[in-house]
Amino acid sequence: MKAKRSEMWRAAVLLLLTGCVCASMPEEPADRATPSDGYCSWITRAQPHGAGGRREGFSEFRLRVEGDPEHYQPGSTYRVTLYATNPAYFRGFTLIALKEGHNGDQEEDYAGNFQIIDEEDAQFMTNCPPAVTESTPRRRTRIQVFWIAPPSGSGCVLLKASIVQRKIISFQDEGSLTKRMCEKEPQYGETTDKPLLDCCACGTAKYRVTFYGNWSEKLHPKDYPRRANHWSALIGASHSKNYILWEYGGYVSEGVKQVAELGSPVKMEEEIRQKGDEVLTVIKMKAQWPAWQPLNVRAAPSAEFSVDRTRHLMSFLTMLGPSPDWNVGLSSEDLCTKECGWVQKVVQDLIPWDAGTDNGVTYESPNKPTTPQEKIRPLTSLDHPQSPFYDPEGGAITPVARVVVERIARKGEQCNIVPDNVDDIVADIAQEEKEEDDTPETCIYSNWSPWSACSSSTCEKGKRMRQRMLKAQLDLSVPCPHTQDFEPCMGPGCSDEDASTCMMSEWITWSPCSMSCGAGVRSRERYVKQFPDDGFACTHSTEETEPCTVNDDCSPSSCLVTEWGEWDACSATCGLGMKRRERMVKMPPSDGSICGAEVVEVERCMMPECHTIPCLLSPWSDWSDCSVTCGKGTRIRQRMLKSPVELGECKEELEQVEKCMLPECPMDCVMSEWSEWSECSKSCGKGHLIRSRMITLEPQFGGDLCPETTQRKTCKIKKCNQGGLNSDERKRRKEDRKKRRNKQGREESADELAEEDRWT
């Protein structure tokens, strides 16, 4: 009977959701149809007994979609919460997602798919799979499920909920238990909401993807890791529909796992290249340390890639570190339009997603593998109270990055149905081919030095050189390219370019006048910040002078001094320093006073900008064994400084320490102290004493088992007295003692058997 009532609760609830009458809880179904009668037909035909009124205008129950969006992105995952405000509660519920204007009689009337988060709270309705209901009727104030939005073209969707409270079913058609969301309509030139199965575009298109990391302490202050925040090397590809790098609801490959947990793109790149013709371009960007810097300090990283008719999808991922297994990226972004053209521009804000391989909930949680592995899912603001993105109100997570994909060129004959606009034409004309950087991600270099002067001082051909340093080789099996680069050049005056292409610093302030009285000279300086690209020597002057006059009418108190001597060398070899010069008094004042002219002068000097020489470091060693054999400990790894000491101090860390966790340490059983011995069980003759102790801690993780808790030993007080009585009295007492012994023996046997049963 209880099972039937539960089923009928659900039937009546679904009737409400699909537009039927509200009623009190039914006792028995009037006419239950078989599942073969139609899709969910036995529910839609069930007529609950009794009469009840629909409750209108209540607000203690609410259905909410995380972020409160008005539109849904086809194929995206949303967290749906049904909750009651204190002190309200509900015992049962039902959730469905219907296409607007449909009543739920057919399978096609339902939109999207629900995904159960906690099977103890929710389950799919047995005889109507699109509906989600309670696992068991009980008091509750909140449940959550995921809803995966339907494919493009599904139109508007109504997420409807009903609740059962005290056998009363409540529902509001347009109130707090209904959420209406419409599909986000694509505009021409934007990416389609779901990858097209077949692309009809012609020719090829070239794109530039730019990654803007917005993960900063200002926007994400909770537990922000100041010391080690970074984005890992970005890895991705343009590919066909037959290859998926990663997707929500799927399991990660080993390559994606290594990016997600270690930030290493090596295995991922290997997997991509093994796909052969399914991939057109491998997309790579270098790691970013720290994760965020102003754009005027560090330009946003970018990479270029191409697409064609068969390989028109683009995917990438990068890890935000430190983190358990959190990443951002795009999955199968379609750059082919329905009009047989190529998308002009895609701008997408990114929130982190969980790879499903580590159970950590904070940025620096210790490694704790997820067993069994879980599916990829977006992080939400309600995942865990310790999460850095946690919001008790369930608001949307502030994006941690933005990606911009721009078309920069098209090649070959195009067949787009819609004519090109001005932006299309300008983008194609403005494209300039740039050489591609073929440096492997496993080779870490310093920046290129400026070009040297040309080896030829005439118009004969010469060459010039630039250099860079190899800082680290992460994979010894992958060779690193050259560290020197050469190109042809000619001597000064032989290039078509003007020498004015050299960059000069601003002028330093004028020096004091060379004379303290009368006419003199003063000077100022500047330096060359960047030499011309063609190797010319800069022809601009680095020093200029001009006349100056101090005190035209020299009085008798004036003194005559020599010209200033040469400036000493600047105290700094690069950047800002000080320099000094002197002069002498040739003739003191005629009135015998002290000469007031300065004889020592000090001023600032500016040398070429200092360039930090990068440290040359060995690769990190393997992690050491954990410092403990069980429980929580630490492990370390080290690397060595390979660059010479004379190049300067290296501030890179040479040792890293992280937490490690081994199986819990065995804990032996712990017992209390023995109690005092009890009194002897007999007043005369032989008896026994008993003492006991208690278990204060049960053994755990394979520790020693608990020993005995009760001990017993014999006792003898005195021999029982049998003299001084006549024969009849002795005979009577002997029979009494025999009866008592028989009775006592039976009781002791029973006690001993009970004691043995308790410990076995």
Side-chain angles (χ1 to χ4, degrees), residues 79-95:
R79 184 186 291 261
V80 179
T81 304
L82 176 62
Y83 64 94
T85 57
N86 189 41
Y89 66 89
F90 54 95
R91 295 183 179 276
F93 69 91
T94 300
L95 286 174

Side-chain angles (χ1 to χ4, degrees), residues 729-742:
E729 185 67 19
R730 285 197 300 269
K731 184 177 181 179
R732 185 181 63 78
R733 291 194 176 188
K734 184 176 181 179
E735 290 176 353
D736 291 340
R737 286 196 300 272
K738 185 176 180 180
K739 290 180 181 179
R740 284 198 301 270
R741 281 197 299 270
N742 291 338

Side-chain angles (χ1 to χ4, degrees), residues 318-330:
T318 176
M319 177 199 77
L320 69 160
S323 72
D325 57 348
W326 300 342
N327 311 263
V328 298
L330 292 180

Side-chain angles (χ1 to χ4, degrees), residues 339-372:
E339 295 80 13
C340 301
W342 297 110
V343 171
Q344 175 71 36
K345 186 175 184 179
V346 176
V347 178
Q348 185 73 46
D349 289 324
L350 305 176
I351 62 171
W353 48 268
D354 190 304
T357 61
D358 192 290
N359 279 333
V361 296
T362 66
Y363 290 127
E364 299 183 271
S365 294
N367 293 332
K368 189 177 181 182
T370 302
T371 305

Side-chain angles (χ1 to χ4, degrees), residues 405-422:
V405 182
E406 295 180 278
R407 196 185 74 217
I408 56 177
R410 290 179 296 180
K411 293 183 180 180
E413 183 178 354
Q414 303 295 311
C415 56
N416 45 304
I417 299 172
V418 179
D420 288 341
N421 55 31
V422 175

Side-chain angles (χ1 to χ4, degrees), residues 693-753:
R693 57 182 175 179
M694 298 179 62
I695 298 174
T696 59
L697 179 63
E698 295 284 352
Q700 299 182 39
F701 312 115
D704 292 342
L705 299 177
C706 294
E708 62 182 352
T709 58
T710 304
Q711 287 185 347
R712 151 184 330 214
K713 67 179 181 179
T714 59
C715 60
K716 186 175 182 180
I717 306 302
K718 62 182 178 178
K719 187 176 181 179
C720 296
N721 184 14
Q722 298 180 355
L725 300 174
N726 58 38
S727 59
D728 292 335
E729 185 67 19
R730 285 197 300 269
K731 184 177 181 179
R732 185 181 63 78
R733 291 194 176 188
K734 184 176 181 179
E735 290 176 353
D736 291 340
R737 286 196 300 272
K738 185 176 180 180
K739 290 180 181 179
R740 284 198 301 270
R741 281 197 299 270
N742 291 338
K743 182 179 180 181
Q744 186 174 2
R746 288 194 300 270
E747 291 175 350
E748 290 178 358
S749 297
D751 292 339
E752 289 175 354
L753 288 174

